């Protein structure tokens, strides 16, 4: 009975994971991996890796973004056109200044979660999103999950 219960749980979990996007644990792990990569390899090597959609830094709908605390995008795993742009005044569909809020949060705490809405790169729809960020020097290193 225990074996069949475990098998059923494994099959159901595997199917759910294949159909769903990344979860909170995935986002935390991705950010920690990115922070470790920055510390080991330096920002000059890390940021192009994150933006270039390196296999290790993109997972389903999960990707890494890095912001200077003034709102300038240093790396973006979903849209390389954002790199180098000052997005401090960027608003989500509800008018929330999500980048401004994010960098303000990063200035005050070493890690945090933030809620806003953004285009899911997989579904191409605006969806509720939670972004996990860690402050590294004068930057916020982030990865987010989409909540359906």
């Amino acid at each position: 009975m225990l074996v069949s219960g475990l098998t059923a749980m494994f099959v159901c979990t595997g199917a759910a994971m294949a159909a769903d996007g990344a979860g909170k644990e995935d986002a935390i792990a991705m950010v920690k991996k990115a922070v470790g990569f920055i510390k080991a390899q330096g920002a000059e090597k890390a940021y192009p890796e994150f933006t270039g959609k390196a296999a290790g830094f993109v997972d389903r709908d999960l990707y890494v973004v890095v912001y200077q605390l003034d709102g300038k995008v240093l790396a973006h795993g979903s849209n390389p056109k954002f790199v180098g742009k000052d997005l401090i005044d960027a608003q989500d569909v509800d008018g929330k200044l999500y980048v401004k809020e994010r960098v303000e949060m990063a200035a005050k705490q070493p890690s945090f979660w933030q809620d806003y809405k953004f285009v899911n790169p997989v579904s191409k729809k605006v969806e509720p999103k939670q972004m996990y960020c860690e402050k590294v020097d004068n930057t916020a290193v982030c990865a987010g999950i989409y909540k359906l």
Side-chain angles (χ1 to χ4, degrees):
M1 181 70 170
L2 178 62
V3 172
S4 63
L6 288 174
T7 302
M9 186 173 76
F10 176 75
V11 169
C12 290
T13 303
M17 287 180 69
D20 293 343
K24 280 189 166 189
E25 300 80 23
D26 299 316
I28 293 170
M30 181 73 76
V31 169
K32 293 196 177 300
K33 181 179 179 179
V35 168
F37 193 78
I38 292 167
K39 290 181 177 178
Q41 301 293 323
E44 297 77 23
K45 181 170 183 181
Y47 297 165
E49 287 286 316
F50 303 157
T51 300
K53 300 188 182 202
F57 296 103
V58 174
D59 178 16
R60 296 164 284 175
D61 56 357
L62 184 66
Y63 54 88
V64 174
V65 296
V66 182
Y67 292 89
Q68 277 184 180
L69 295 188
D70 64 1
K72 181 179 178 185
V73 180
L74 302 175
H76 201 291
S78 176
N79 191 340
K81 293 177 183 174
F82 287 146
V83 175
K85 301 228 186 292
D86 177 357
L87 296 184
I88 198 73
D89 294 324
Q91 297 180 26
D92 73 2
V93 295
D94 295 329
K96 182 175 189 171
L97 293 167
Y98 66 94
V99 174
K100 185 176 195 291
E101 179 184 76
R102 183 174 305 150
V103 297
E104 287 173 354
M105 292 171 80
K108 296 175 186 170
Q109 50 200 325
S111 65
F112 58 90
W113 284 95
Q114 178 199 29
D115 292 314
Y116 66 109
K117 293 180 181 168
F118 200 73
V119 176
N120 182 324
V122 175
S123 72
K124 305 295 187 213
K125 296 178 183 172
V126 175
E127 298 175 2
K129 186 169 185 173
Q130 282 189 304
M131 185 74 89
Y132 175 74
C133 300
E134 290 188 8
K135 183 180 178 188
V136 178
D137 300 321
N138 193 34
T139 68
V141 179
C142 309
I145 60 169
Y146 292 89
K147 306 181 303 177
L148 298 175

